[in-house]
Structures are given as C-alpha cells and as structure tokens.
C-alpha cells in the first residue's frame, strides 16, 4: 500500500514537473519574441520613405494565412539546383552561377579572376552595417525571403520554373556576412531582423515586394510585425 501510494505521488510529481518545464519554455519563447518585437524602429532613410509607404500599401493587399508547415520541403527538388544559371531572371543564361552574378554586381571595386568570379573588393554589408574587404569564404548570398519560408507561404503552389526563378531573382538576393545569414536561416520578419537598425525597414519592404511579386502570403505574426515596424519607421522619420 505504501509503495503504491509513493508511486502514485511520484507520478503526479513528475507530471507537474513536466508541465512546469513546458510552461517555462513557452514563457521564455514568448518573452524572447516580445522583447525582440519591441525593439524601437530606426527612422526610415530619406530616400526610402516612398518605398516604405508603397510597401505598406502592398502589404494590405497580401493574403494573411498561417504557414503550411510540414516535412515535405526539399531545397533542390523544390527550387532547382543551387545557383543554377538555367532561370528566366535577368541574371539567367549568362554562363555564370547566380551567386557569382550577385557578388559581381554588389561588391564594390570588384577585381575579377574571370568574367564570373570576384577575387577582391569591398562589401557594404547591410545586415551588419559594416564595410569590409571581400573574402569569398566570409560572405554568403542570402535569400531575403528564405526559400523554406517561401515554400510554406504559397511557394509550393508556384510552377517549377517560377520556384527556380524566385531562388535566383536578384530582387530576393543580397551579399551579407556568413554569420548573419546562418543565424537567420529560414526565419521570417517576425522571427529575425538584421542587427543594423537603419536597414530593418528596407529589409521589411524588400520582403513585402518579393512576396507580392510571386503572389505569396504572409502569416499573421509576419503581417503584424511588418506593419508595425514599417509604420514605426515612418513615424520616427
């Protein structure tokens, strides 16, 4: 009898402990999101105010739906070979990989090894707000709207050629430091923003433009974060 009673109390204790641990994890996650989302917006750059107004207008026309999550995403199957030149964008079919094209166009004072490959120059990194000498191993070409985020907000319904294009579209590509790109991963605007506060609103506007260009939707959290932050940028200007 005593043993059964102890076991019963032990099971109850473990259930309560698990519940407390889960609640603490959820509270920490919510608290981190709230603290992140509450970061003050920097004033919009003067030359970007019109673009941000336009992005907010466009945001109102985007569908708002939850992300369609699942385990069926495959980068190569769904968006084609990485940096393929076989795409219908402006940078396609020129004999160079798309990442080389973007680096060549965005790195300042680029010195070329051949017509495709940059070997030196200066990176003006919008995510960090820093400028530094170009080293290929230290930079990556980021998809402003991450490919998996595209897949879960309507990308799965695009044709294979449209998905290949969005993966290689210069409007969705930017040269940044590898650390920030890896930190961002597949996160959307409600989950990750650049540390360079002066660039955040332009980054948000860019995401809206890409989503509109390819008829994607925004999630409720994403829509709220974009609307609130871009509005705050204009209010701070």
């Amino acid at each position: 009898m005593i043993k059964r009673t102890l076991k019963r109390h032990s099971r109850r204790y473990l259930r309560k402990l698990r519940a407390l641990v889960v609640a603490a994890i959820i509270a920490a996650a919510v608290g981190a999101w709230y603290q992140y989302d509450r970061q003050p917006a920097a004033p919009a750059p003067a030359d970007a105010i019109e673009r941000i107004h336009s992005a907010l207008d466009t945001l109102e026309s985007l569908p708002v739906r939850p992300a369609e999550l699942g385990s069926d995403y495959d980068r190569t199957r769904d968006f084609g070979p990485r940096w393929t030149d076989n795409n219908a964008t402006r940078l396609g079919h020129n004999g160079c990989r798309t990442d080389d094209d973007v680096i060549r166009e965005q790195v300042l004072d680029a010195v070329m090894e051949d017509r495709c490959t940059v070997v030196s120059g200066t990176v003006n990194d919008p995510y960090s707000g820093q400028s530094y000498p170009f080293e290929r191993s230290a930079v990556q070409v980021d998809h402003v709207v991450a490919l998996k985020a595209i897949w879960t907000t309507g990308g799965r319904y695009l044709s294979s050629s449209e998905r290949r294009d969005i993966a290689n579209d210069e409007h969705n590509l930017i040269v940044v430091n590898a650390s920030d790109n890896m930190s961002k991963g597949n996160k959307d605007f409600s989950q990750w923003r650049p540390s360079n506060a002066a660039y955040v609103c332009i980054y948000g506007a860019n995401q809206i433009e890409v989503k509109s260009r390819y008829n994607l939707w925004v999630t409720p959290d994403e829509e709220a974060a974009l609307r609130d932050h871009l509005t705050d940028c204009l209010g701070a200007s």
Side-chain angles (χ1 to χ4, degrees):
M1 176 68 73
I2 293 174
K3 288 184 178 179
R4 286 200 299 271
T5 302
L6 287 173
K7 286 182 179 179
R8 189 163 59 250
H9 283 293
S10 177
R11 287 196 296 269
R12 288 177 181 172
Y13 173 78
L14 288 174
R15 284 198 298 269
K16 289 181 179 179
L17 182 61
R18 284 195 294 267
L20 287 171
V21 169
V22 170
I25 292 171
I26 293 172
V30 171
W33 176 87
Y34 182 79
Q35 183 181 22
Y36 188 75
D37 192 58
R38 295 291 295 182
Q39 289 179 338
D47 60 354
I49 289 177
E50 184 175 344
R51 180 182 181 185
I52 293 169
H53 274 295
S54 177
L56 281 169
D57 290 341
T58 300
L59 180 62
E60 291 185 3
S61 68
L62 294 181
V64 180
R65 293 174 52 184
E68 293 185 347
L69 303 176
S71 59
D72 60 337
Y73 169 73
D74 181 274
R75 196 270 186 232
T76 301
R77 181 199 67 201
D78 299 328
F79 290 94
R82 192 177 299 272
W83 306 127
T84 178
D85 189 42
N86 182 26
N87 64 80
T89 72
R90 182 181 69 86
L91 300 176
H93 301 289
N94 65 1
C96 298
R97 286 166 48 110
T98 302
D99 56 341
D100 285 336
D101 286 329
V102 174
I103 290 169
R104 183 182 66 248
E105 295 198 348
Q106 294 186 11
V107 169
L108 302 178
D109 303 319
V111 176
M112 308 297 297
E113 180 179 66
D114 51 45
R115 72 182 190 86
C116 296
T117 310
V118 174
V119 293
S120 66
T122 300
V123 178
N124 278 348
D125 185 338
Y127 285 5
S128 68
Q130 298 176 347
S131 296
Y132 46 83
F134 170 80
E135 292 183 19
R136 186 63 185 91
S137 61
V139 301
Q140 293 180 357
V141 177
D142 179 42
H143 290 94
V144 177
V145 182
L147 295 184
K148 188 171 183 180
I150 290 169
W151 179 255
T152 60
T153 57
R156 69 177 70 225
Y157 303 111
L158 299 176
S159 68
S160 58
S161 60
E162 288 173 321
R163 292 197 300 270
R164 189 166 59 247
D165 287 350
I166 197 172
N168 294 279
D169 188 335
E170 63 187 300
H171 298 93
N172 194 37
L173 299 172
I174 192 163
V175 179
V176 298
N177 67 88
S179 177
D180 275 348
N181 189 35
M182 294 176 71
S183 171
K184 172 188 169 183
N186 295 314
K187 300 179 182 74
D188 66 27
F189 189 84
S190 71
Q191 300 163 327
W192 188 93
R193 297 162 206 170
S195 59
N196 178 17
Y199 184 72
V200 173
C201 274
I202 297 174
Y203 173 76
N206 196 354
Q207 292 217 348
I208 294 168
E209 291 160 358
V210 170
K211 292 227 164 187
S212 175
R213 186 181 184 92
Y214 288 90
N215 299 310
L216 305 174
W217 68 76
V218 289
T219 69
D221 286 348
E222 187 181 13
E223 190 275 337
L226 285 164
R227 172 173 35 79
D228 291 348
H229 201 92
L230 268 63
T231 300
D232 288 348
C233 285
L234 294 175
S237 301

